[in-house]
């Protein structure tokens, strides 16, 4: 029995009526992320692309309607997939995907549960600064996003977990970050226009020094 093939077959059937089949689709895409992260990422992207017309109509508000397409394809799946341990294997590929980064972080409402900080922190910690910068650029360009302090608190707190993707795995002692990582964080925090949010974010960054 090939689990990936069965999940893909079931996805093809269930995705014809996404709103009716949200539960099993969420399970299928999450399992695919665990079995083969690249396939999971591709299927998630396909789901968003195939439903962009309806999704675009829901993007204007401060949050997606709870019973809407956006809440499922973005809010729910983002929370599941970006926090999945397997996502570390495709974090760099994800950051290089202009379509997904733009839709998820620049155009969509971003909640504090998005999981963006997981992938950003991991990319910074592993020296993939260009990828982290692409996601931060999208968030900073999102007019509805204002939670800079919370974002940087979570990014910085993730540094104590060394090279592991998931903050569920604790290393016990903080790993010293190189100067290029410290400089990267400071430079992005200095771009925050809100003085209070910048001060709060910079305070968290000072724990790296």
């Amino acid at each position: 029995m090939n689990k990936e093939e069965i999940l893909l077959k079931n996805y093809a059937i269930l995705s014809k009526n996404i709103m009716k089949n949200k539960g099993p689709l969420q399970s299928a895409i999450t399992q695919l992320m665990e079995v083969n992260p690249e396939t999971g990422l591709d299927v998630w992207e396909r789901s968003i692309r195939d439903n962009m017309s309806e999704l675009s109509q829901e993007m204007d508000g401060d949050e997606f309607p709870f019973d809407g397409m956006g809440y499922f394809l973005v809010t729910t799946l983002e929370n599941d997939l970006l926090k999945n341990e397997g996502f570390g294997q495709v974090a760099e590929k994800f950051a290089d995907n202009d379509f997904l980064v733009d839709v998820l972080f620049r155009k969509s409402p971003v909640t504090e549960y998005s999981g963006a900080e997981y992938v950003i922190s991991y990319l910074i910690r592993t020296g993939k600064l260009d990828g982290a910068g692409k996601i931060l650029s999208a968030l900073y360009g999102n007019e509805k996003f204002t939670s800079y302090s919370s974002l940087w608190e979570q990014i910085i707190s993730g540094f104590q977990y060394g090279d592991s993707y998931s903050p569920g795995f604790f290393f016990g002692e903080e790993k010293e970050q190189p100067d290029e990582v410290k400089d990267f964080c400071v430079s992005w925090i200095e771009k925050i226009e809100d003085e209070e949010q910048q001060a709060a974010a910079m305070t968290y960054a000072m724990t790296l020094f």
Side-chain angles (χ1 to χ4, degrees):
M1 178 183 294
N2 187 308
K3 183 174 181 177
E4 183 177 346
E5 288 182 0
I6 292 173
L7 288 170
L8 285 171
K9 178 182 177 181
N10 293 342
Y11 169 82
I13 296 170
L14 296 167
S15 61
K16 294 176 183 177
N17 192 334
I18 281 187
M19 298 310 290
K20 178 183 177 182
N21 299 309
K22 289 187 294 184
L25 279 170
Q26 180 180 356
S27 179
I29 297 173
T30 302
Q31 287 186 69
L32 284 167
M33 180 61 67
E34 294 167 352
V35 173
N36 186 333
E38 290 207 5
T39 300
L41 184 64
D42 290 344
V43 168
W44 187 24
E45 179 181 357
R46 188 191 317 163
S47 300
I48 292 174
R49 284 188 181 277
D50 289 348
N51 295 278
M52 269 307 296
S53 178
E54 186 171 345
L55 190 61
S56 297
Q57 298 175 24
E58 300 177 0
M59 286 180 170
D60 292 337
D62 292 332
E63 58 185 24
F64 284 118
F66 181 74
D67 59 349
M69 183 74 73
Y71 190 88
F72 173 64
L73 289 179
V74 176
T75 306
T76 299
L77 291 181
E78 197 174 71
N79 184 57
D80 274 7
L81 303 181
L82 267 63
K83 295 180 181 180
N84 189 295
E85 179 67 32
F87 200 84
Q89 299 177 43
V90 291
E92 192 169 12
K93 178 181 177 181
F94 171 76
D96 287 335
N97 188 315
D98 293 338
F99 170 77
L100 279 178
V101 170
D102 188 58
V103 169
L104 298 175
F105 300 123
R106 191 184 304 275
K107 294 180 178 177
S108 295
V110 178
T111 74
E112 60 181 307
Y113 308 108
S114 72
E117 67 274 5
Y118 280 65
V119 65
I120 295 171
S121 180
Y122 177 75
L123 289 169
I124 296 174
R125 286 184 278 120
T126 53
K128 301 177 178 68
L129 303 182
D130 287 345
K134 290 177 182 178
I135 298 175
L136 285 167
S137 179
L139 283 170
Y140 279 41
N142 188 330
E143 295 180 355
K144 297 184 283 289
F145 181 74
T146 58
S147 304
Y148 295 99
S149 171
S150 176
L151 172 72
W152 280 100
E153 178 186 13
Q154 297 303 314
I155 290 173
I156 300 299
S157 70
F159 281 43
Q160 65 183 303
Y161 302 103
D163 296 327
S164 171
Y165 181 76
S166 172
F169 190 77
F170 182 62
F171 276 79
E173 63 181 71
E174 294 187 14
K175 177 183 176 182
E176 179 66 23
Q177 298 298 322
D179 288 343
E180 66 173 359
V181 165
K182 298 174 184 177
D183 293 344
F184 177 87
C185 293
V186 168
S187 67
W188 273 97
I189 290 172
E190 287 177 338
K191 295 177 183 180
I192 300 172
E193 295 183 359
D194 184 288
E195 185 178 44
E196 188 174 314
Q197 289 282 316
Q198 184 188 116
M202 192 67 78
T203 299
Y204 294 123
M206 288 300 99
T207 63
L208 298 175
F209 292 83

